[in-house]
């Protein structure tokens, strides 16, 4: 199958990605799992979408919509069934559901990324399949890649340069280029944004261990690379802390001496080892960086620990976590509250910690817990029973419109609501904080228009 001219244009056009949204696993291309919005202070359930599923996929969120893959049957029985669901962030109401074409040998449908469209696939790490682009408003397939690509669904990263997907032997920027590489066996194959929107860093195999390579996103050309480091298993994506110009690489192994966190300083023409620190054993997943660049890892003794970004010193530790081994997925809010899913099967739980790694609220049971995401002051949790939204919304000022779409309070949603909203938005007035993030920014515009276009609150 080939791209049509229209489909090609759709894929190669740079996309708009707001850092306040949850665009892919790890939140955005820096893979810090950190967003500006505030999360809940208690496990107060805002809504639940009951949908039993064999696999709890990663929720993705953008412009008032949360998208997640769900299916209660094996992939070979999914043909024609809706497997991708788009839900209203505020209410959990179903906006649309969509099937994903099945071919013999395909895996379960998974979400790769969301921006101005939703990227989904049935690929796995060892099975190639097309990547489909779904319309964010309807779920219809707008385009499909000509090439089948084998990829882990957590390895897709989307930014202003479009979607970048890694495989064991290639790195693809959809619609632009594909370049060879040699991924570390068992390692994370995806890319992380470098400093500036036009480069990326990837982790590859090298004799005796692994290297970190930096590439130009415009054409895929090689720029420079690190020295070789002992392998272990680099199951985690590289985390790029922009403010400190550090790339952080957790390497976990059952051999305690091989479990290390590496920090590489990006000088602009070299990747230099800055420091390394011991960490504990875990099964991979995601990492989390706080606003000061400090990184959360699983430490020896199955605790969480927080490393200072400049020297790797451990500046906080949690108490021992019961579930072992962990496959953590994180979300960090604008106050540095850390939410973590354990990823440990039927005994899965959602945890919450403050920046000192003290319990923020008691753990919540979630059987088969998968990914979590944070957007519009809402924490989304996907487990094998459904999708759940936790929210402690701040009370709006008493004179704010009770319905965001009907911003002028006329009793109907019409064209007069748009200038009324923008008058407040340009002033930074609290009422224009439609997504409840605690600040008035570009995300509120998208959130308002989604409500307005639907003609609902």
């Amino acid at each position: 199958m080939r791209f049509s001219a229209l489909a090609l244009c759709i894929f190669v056009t740079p996309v708009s990605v707001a850092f306040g949204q949850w665009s892919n696993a790890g939140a955005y291309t820096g893979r810090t799992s950190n967003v500006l919005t505030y999360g809940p202070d208690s496990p107060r359930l805002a809504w639940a979408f009951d949908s039993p599923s064999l696999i709890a996929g990663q929720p993705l969120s953008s412009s008032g919509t949360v998208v997640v893959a769900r299916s209660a049957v094996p992939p070979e029985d999914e043909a024609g069934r809706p497997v991708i669901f788009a839900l209203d962030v505020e209410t959990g109401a179903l906006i649309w559901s969509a099937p994903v074409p099945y071919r013999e040998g395909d895996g379960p449908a998974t979400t790769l990324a969301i921006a101005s469209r939703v990227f989904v696939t049935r690929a796995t790490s060892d099975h190639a399949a097309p990547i489909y682009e779904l319309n964010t408003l309807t779920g219809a397939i707008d385009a499909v890649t000509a090439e089948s690509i084998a990829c882990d669904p957590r390895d897709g990263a989307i930014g202003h340069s479009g979607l970048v997907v890694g495989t064991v032997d290639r790195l693809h920027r959809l619609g632009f280029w594909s370049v060879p590489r040699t991924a570390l066996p068992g390692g994370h194959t995806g890319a992380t944004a470098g400093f500036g929107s036009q480069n990326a860093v990837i982790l590859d195999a090298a004799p005796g261990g692994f290297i970190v390579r930096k590439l130009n996103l415009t054409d895929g050309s090689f720029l420079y690379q690190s020295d070789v480091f002992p392998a272990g298993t680099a199951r985690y994506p590289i985390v790029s802390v922009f403010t400190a110009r550090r790339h952080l690489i957790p390497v976990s192994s059952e051999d305690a001496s091989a479990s290390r966190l590496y920090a590489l300083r990006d000088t602009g023409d070299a990747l230099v080892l800055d420091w390394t620190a011991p960490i504990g054993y875990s099964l991979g997943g995601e990492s989390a960086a706080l606003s000061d660049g400090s990184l959360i890892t699983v430490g020896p003794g199955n605790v969480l620990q927080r490393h200072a970004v400049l020297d790797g010193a451990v500046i906080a530790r949690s108490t021992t976590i019961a579930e072992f081994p962990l496959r953590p997925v994180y979300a960090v809010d604008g106050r540095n509250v850390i939410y973590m899913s354990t990823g440990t099967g039927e005994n899965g739980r959602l945890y919450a910690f403050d920046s000192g790694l003290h319990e923020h609220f008691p753990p919540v049971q979630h059987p088969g817990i998968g990914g979590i995401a944070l957007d519009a002051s809402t924490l989304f949790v996907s487990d094998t029973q459904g999708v759940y939204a936790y929210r402690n919304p701040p009370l709006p000022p008493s004179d704010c419109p009770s319905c965001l779409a009907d911003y002028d309070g006329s009793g109907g949603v019409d064209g007069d609501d748009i200038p009324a909203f923008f008058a407040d938005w340009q002033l930074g007035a609290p009422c224009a904080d439609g997504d409840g993030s605690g600040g008035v920014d570009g995300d509120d515009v998208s959130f308002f228009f989604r409500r307005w276009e639907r003609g609902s609150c």
Side-chain angles (χ1 to χ4, degrees):
M1 185 180 293
R2 298 286 177 186
F3 276 112
S4 68
L6 174 60
L8 181 60
C9 290
I10 293 173
F11 268 117
V12 303
T13 302
V15 296
S16 175
V17 179
F19 286 164
Q21 299 171 356
W22 206 274
S23 302
N24 46 247
Y28 69 104
T29 51
R31 310 297 294 228
T32 64
S33 301
N34 188 307
V35 290
L36 296 177
T37 188
Y38 286 7
D41 291 323
S42 65
R44 177 181 179 272
L45 191 65
W47 53 259
F49 179 72
D50 294 326
S51 173
S53 183
L54 296 176
I55 297 175
Q58 170 70 47
L60 304 175
S61 182
S62 175
S63 301
T65 300
V66 59
V67 177
V68 67
R70 311 288 301 174
S71 183
V73 299
E76 59 269 21
D77 297 327
E78 285 182 348
R81 290 174 177 258
V83 291
I84 307 295
F85 295 85
L87 310 174
D88 184 278
V89 163
E90 197 169 346
T91 66
L94 179 65
I95 301 170
W96 53 259
S97 61
V100 175
Y102 173 82
R103 308 179 313 171
E104 185 175 355
D106 279 356
T110 54
T111 54
L112 283 168
I114 185 173
S116 52
R117 56 262 197 197
V118 183
F119 295 94
V120 301
T121 186
R122 288 186 177 275
T124 64
S125 297
D126 54 8
H127 172 78
I131 294 175
Y132 298 89
E133 174 203 328
L134 306 187
N135 187 292
T136 55
L137 295 177
T138 66
I141 296 175
D142 285 342
V144 58
T145 55
E147 182 180 6
S148 292
I149 296 172
C151 63
D152 186 306
R154 289 191 178 275
D155 289 354
I158 195 162
H160 297 293
S161 297
L163 182 64
V164 178
V165 177
T167 71
V168 295
D169 58 1
R170 300 198 73 80
L171 190 73
H172 307 260
R173 180 183 169 200
L174 293 193
F176 285 90
W177 48 257
S178 174
V179 296
R181 52 89 63 92
T182 305
L184 184 71
H188 188 273
T189 58
T192 294
F195 305 118
S197 61
Q198 295 305 312
N199 53 65
V201 287
I202 61 173
L203 187 148
D204 271 2
F210 72 89
I211 55 174
V212 176
R213 301 173 62 212
K214 189 169 183 178
L215 304 176
N216 185 322
L217 277 177
T218 301
D219 58 13
S221 59
F222 170 76
L223 297 174
Y224 44 88
Q225 68 187 41
S226 70
D227 292 334
V228 179
F229 303 111
T233 303
R235 300 180 179 93
Y236 290 89
I238 299 170
V239 174
S240 291
V241 179
F242 291 2
T243 53
R245 296 192 67 82
R246 300 298 193 279
H247 301 296
L248 305 175
I249 306 103
V251 176
S252 174
S253 173
E254 291 180 285
D255 175 3
S257 65
S259 289
R260 309 287 299 181
L261 174 61
Y262 297 87
L264 305 184
R265 180 164 38 89
D266 195 328
T267 67
D269 54 18
L271 296 170
V272 180
L273 179 64
D274 212 22
W275 51 262
T276 180
I279 59 174
Y281 174 65
S282 59
L283 294 176
E286 293 291 324
S287 296
L290 276 59
S291 59
D292 64 353
S294 56
L295 193 78
I296 304 298
T297 68
V298 176
N302 211 46
V303 302
L304 294 191
Q305 57 188 25
R306 178 181 169 193
H307 299 264
V309 70
L310 295 181
D311 60 8
V314 176
I315 53 180
R317 282 190 178 91
S318 73
T319 57
T320 301
I321 298 170
E323 293 79 16
F324 179 84
L326 292 170
R327 192 181 188 278
V329 177
Y330 299 95
V332 180
D333 78 0
R335 306 164 300 172
N336 288 325
V337 173
I338 304 151
Y339 306 92
M340 181 194 75
S341 68
T342 60
T344 49
E346 291 305 308
N347 295 321
R349 294 201 287 180
L350 169 70
Y351 283 83
F353 303 91
D354 64 20
S355 59
L357 295 178
H358 305 109
E359 187 178 272
H360 189 63
F361 58 70
V364 183
Q365 290 291 132
H366 275 287
I369 193 168
I372 61 177
L374 187 59
D375 187 16
S377 298
T378 308
L379 180 69
F380 305 103
V381 178
S382 172
D383 69 18
T384 53
Q385 300 304 308
V387 183
Y388 304 86
Y390 295 106
R391 184 190 305 133
N392 304 138
L395 293 174
S398 58
D399 57 348
C400 286
S402 58
C403 174
L404 183 67
D406 179 21
Y407 202 86
D408 65 357
S410 66
V413 177
D414 54 33
D416 293 337
D417 298 304
I418 297 175
F421 168 78
F422 273 102
D424 275 359
W425 185 83
Q426 289 173 335
L427 293 172
C431 293
D433 180 20
D435 65 1
S437 67
V440 177
D441 54 28
D443 291 344
D444 298 304
V445 176
S446 300
F447 199 86
F448 165 75
F449 274 111
R450 295 293 293 220
R451 302 274 84 70
W452 186 84
E453 287 170 355
R454 293 177 197 152
S456 65
C457 300

